Amino acid sequence: MVDQRAVLPPRLAASWQRSRQYGVSPETVRPAFSGTVDHDSLFFECGQEVLSGLHSTLANEPVSLMLTDSAGLVLSRLCKDTTIIRSLDRVHLAPGFSYAERDAGTNGLGLALADRAPSLVSAEEHYCTGLWGYTCAAAPVLEPGTNRLLGSVNLTTWSKSSKELLLALAQAAAGNTAALMLARSHGHLAPPGPRGEVFHVYADRLPAVAANLSAAWTDALAEARAAMEHGRVVCVTGEPGSGKAALASTARRSVRPRERILNARPPAPQDAASWLALWTPEVGKADTCVIVSGADALPAYAAEELAGLLAAARGAFVITAEDHAGVPDALRALIDTVVDVPALRYRPDDVLPLAGHFARESRGRPVTFTPAASRALTAYPWPGNVRQLRQVVREAVSRADVVDIRHLPPEVFTSPGRRLTRMEAVERDEIVRCLTKPGTTAAQAASMLGMSRATVYRKIAQYGIKVPRR
């Protein structure tokens, strides 16, 4: 087969190169098959609704509309044209099959997921000749508020058909899916994720407290420090907000105390080029270490360019990611040691020391937590990890020098679960507000709220409210 990389646009050429490295056949499509497809998520519900509406307007067109998950697994396919359906079945572009780059080579949906950007792949731009008869337009769907990659919307038609509007339709469907998810979640979203900030990590970010936490934390810290002492490239993994960058910087400071540390957080996909241009000139400078945060959220082409720069600065960078397996291959090849940071719910002994540190950091002086407030903070499972704890503590100490349960937000007294409607959240907050008043019983709270005592008890169970005794 003729090497077309010289005439392909850069993103497609890079995708072809990855396809070859994955060992994808250039002649035959052999996507992996999974017997399980998740139809229960909010993403699938909203995406299927949007595609069904679009499908009704394209009923007479030979276009197949598909929804995939973030790994490229086809979740659904809508099409009434029997000819294109039979043709797609022959190349396994059907529910249950994975069309990620590593399975099917360069294709529209695989490229959209790899680069987290809208993609159009037509005819001979596909890596595999078996796909040359198609044009595929796809757009990623990002979770509102967090920019986490959820999957993609893919439109496939014959390569000889008009393709001018195909990509626009895919982008509109992806945007409508995200908007519908926002509406269905009643606006209860996680805080927006970082958009490519680059900043110094100072030595006092987490002072002595970082080296004197629980065994789970200190063991991970010691593992990272030992690897860095031997010049190994470390990847720190863990849930969002668990303290990956803090552990990386603390370990690095203990090895090279005078070193300047930069933390580069992942950009929005469309900002990747300017993000790289902003800070990569610092790579390789004397006494400089870079923490590449959220590497598993980087577009594939940006990861490949970055890997080339970092390879020459071996040992002078650290990578963080939610999942090591999600780091793009080019960067993952540089990693020698993986260190996992346990989530805060597995480190309850760390909650109060960290809370005390965040309180002093916010108020500029020590702050006291009452026994009841301490029990509430320790008992809560902290789904948002250390980042959530920091926010809760800063809000509480802005109201008092002695933090009691009445100064803590209602979320600390409720079990994490389904998203609440706005009315449910208001009701829960009022119940917690009454119950956290000094000396208030459930019966007194019921009187304040104008409810029966039985109703209050039922609501307490419904919302999983647990207010510790003083």
Side-chain angles (χ1 to χ4, degrees):
M1 185 174 64
V2 178
D3 187 350
Q4 300 201 9
R5 283 178 297 170
V7 296
L8 289 172
R11 282 182 60 207
L12 286 170
S15 178
W16 271 50
Q17 179 62 31
R18 292 193 296 271
S19 300
R20 289 188 173 181
Q21 292 171 347
Y22 295 146
V24 176
S25 168
E27 289 87 23
T28 307
V29 185
R30 301 191 186 98
F33 176 75
S34 171
T36 57
V37 174
D38 182 12
H39 288 166
D40 298 325
S41 67
L42 179 62
F43 163 63
F44 180 85
E45 173 191 323
C46 295
Q48 191 70 355
E49 185 171 329
V50 169
L51 288 188
S52 295
L54 179 58
H55 179 241
S56 66
T57 68
L58 299 173
N60 297 321
E61 299 294 330
V63 179
S64 175
L65 291 75
M66 282 162 272
L67 194 68
T68 82
D69 68 8
S70 59
L73 181 69
V74 179
L75 303 177
S76 68
R77 185 180 70 183
L78 299 174
C79 184
K80 288 187 177 179
D81 189 297
T82 56
T83 303
I84 199 168
I85 289 175
R86 286 195 296 268
S87 179
L88 293 176
D89 283 343
R90 285 194 290 271
V91 294
H92 311 296
L93 187 46
F97 288 90
S98 172
Y99 253 70
E101 279 185 342
R102 64 174 58 251
D103 295 312
T106 303
N107 67 90
L109 74 87
L111 183 58
L113 294 172
D115 284 351
R116 297 166 64 94
S119 303
L120 182 70
V121 179
S122 183
E124 296 181 10
E125 292 174 339
H126 289 91
Y127 180 77
C128 179
T129 57
L131 299 177
W132 282 8
Y134 308 100
T135 289
C136 300
V141 179
L142 306 178
E143 184 176 48
T146 67
N147 281 329
R148 182 170 65 93
L149 182 64
L150 298 176
S152 74
V153 170
N154 177 60
L155 276 65
T156 296
T157 187
W158 304 117
S159 61
K160 62 179 179 294
S161 300
S162 174
K163 59 186 180 183
E164 285 73 18
L165 294 178
L166 208 61
L167 187 57
L169 288 173
Q171 289 179 267
N176 290 340
T177 298
L180 187 57
M181 289 181 66
L182 177 59
R184 293 276 170 84
S185 66
H186 305 285
H188 290 217
L189 298 170
R195 289 178 57 87
E197 298 94 339
V198 181
F199 55 86
H200 288 277
V201 177
Y202 296 100
D204 59 353
R205 180 77 181 272
L206 274 179
V209 67
N212 295 284
L213 295 175
S214 64
W217 172 272
T218 54
D219 287 349
L221 184 63
E223 185 180 359
R225 183 169 53 236
M228 292 175 185
E229 286 174 343
H230 289 86
R232 299 191 183 105
V233 175
V234 175
C235 176
V236 183
T237 61
E239 294 180 5
S242 58
K244 299 183 291 293
L247 183 136
S249 61
T250 302
R252 192 73 189 182
R253 289 289 184 203
S254 67
V255 175
R256 302 189 66 175
R258 298 183 180 276
E259 190 172 58
R260 180 180 64 146
I261 298 179
L262 300 178
N263 187 1
R265 288 177 172 173
Q270 67 272 18
D271 298 332
S274 56
W275 177 77
L276 287 168
L278 173 66
W279 66 271
T280 51
E282 303 300 315
V283 173
K285 285 187 176 180
D287 295 322
T288 296
C289 177
V290 176
I291 299 174
V292 183
S293 291
D296 46 349
L298 287 177
Y301 73 92
E304 288 165 4
E305 183 174 342
L306 181 58
L309 297 170
L310 294 178
R314 188 161 186 81
F317 64 94
V318 183
I319 291 171
T320 79
E322 187 174 344
D323 179 15
H324 168 253
V327 177
D329 290 348
L331 285 174
R332 193 165 68 243
L334 303 177
I335 296 169
D336 301 312
T337 301
V338 178
V339 177
D340 188 59
V341 179
L344 188 57
R345 63 182 172 276
Y346 301 126
R347 299 153 39 203
D349 292 343
D350 291 347
V351 172
L352 293 182
L354 288 171
H357 165 67
F358 296 141
R360 287 191 299 273
E361 182 183 62
S362 182
R363 295 285 286 189
R365 58 182 181 272
V367 175
T368 302
F369 294 86
T370 66
S374 297
R375 287 194 295 272
L377 292 173
T378 303
Y380 187 61
W382 299 106
N385 288 295
V386 179
R387 185 182 300 149
Q388 183 188 13
L389 173 63
R390 181 190 292 114
Q391 181 179 351
V392 165
V393 169
R394 285 178 176 175
E395 290 178 0
V397 301
S398 68
R399 303 168 60 191
D401 283 334
V402 178
V403 176
D404 194 14
I405 54 175
R406 68 181 183 277
H407 301 122
L408 299 176
E411 67 192 75
V412 174
F413 304 100
T414 56
S415 302
R418 67 176 179 86
R419 296 184 187 276
L420 302 180
T421 66
R422 291 188 186 278
M423 290 302 296
E424 287 175 329
V426 169
E427 183 178 59
R428 178 205 63 183
D429 293 357
E430 278 300 294
I431 293 172
V432 171
R433 183 183 65 80
C434 292
L435 290 173
T436 54
K437 285 185 176 181
T440 302
T441 65
Q444 291 170 325
S447 178
M448 294 178 194
L449 294 164
M451 298 179 179
S452 69
R453 185 164 56 179
T455 299
V456 167
Y457 280 121
R458 179 170 57 81
K459 295 291 184 180
I460 288 173
Q462 175 185 340
Y463 297 128
I465 298 172
K466 296 177 182 179
V467 178
R469 294 182 178 180
R470 296 177 185 276

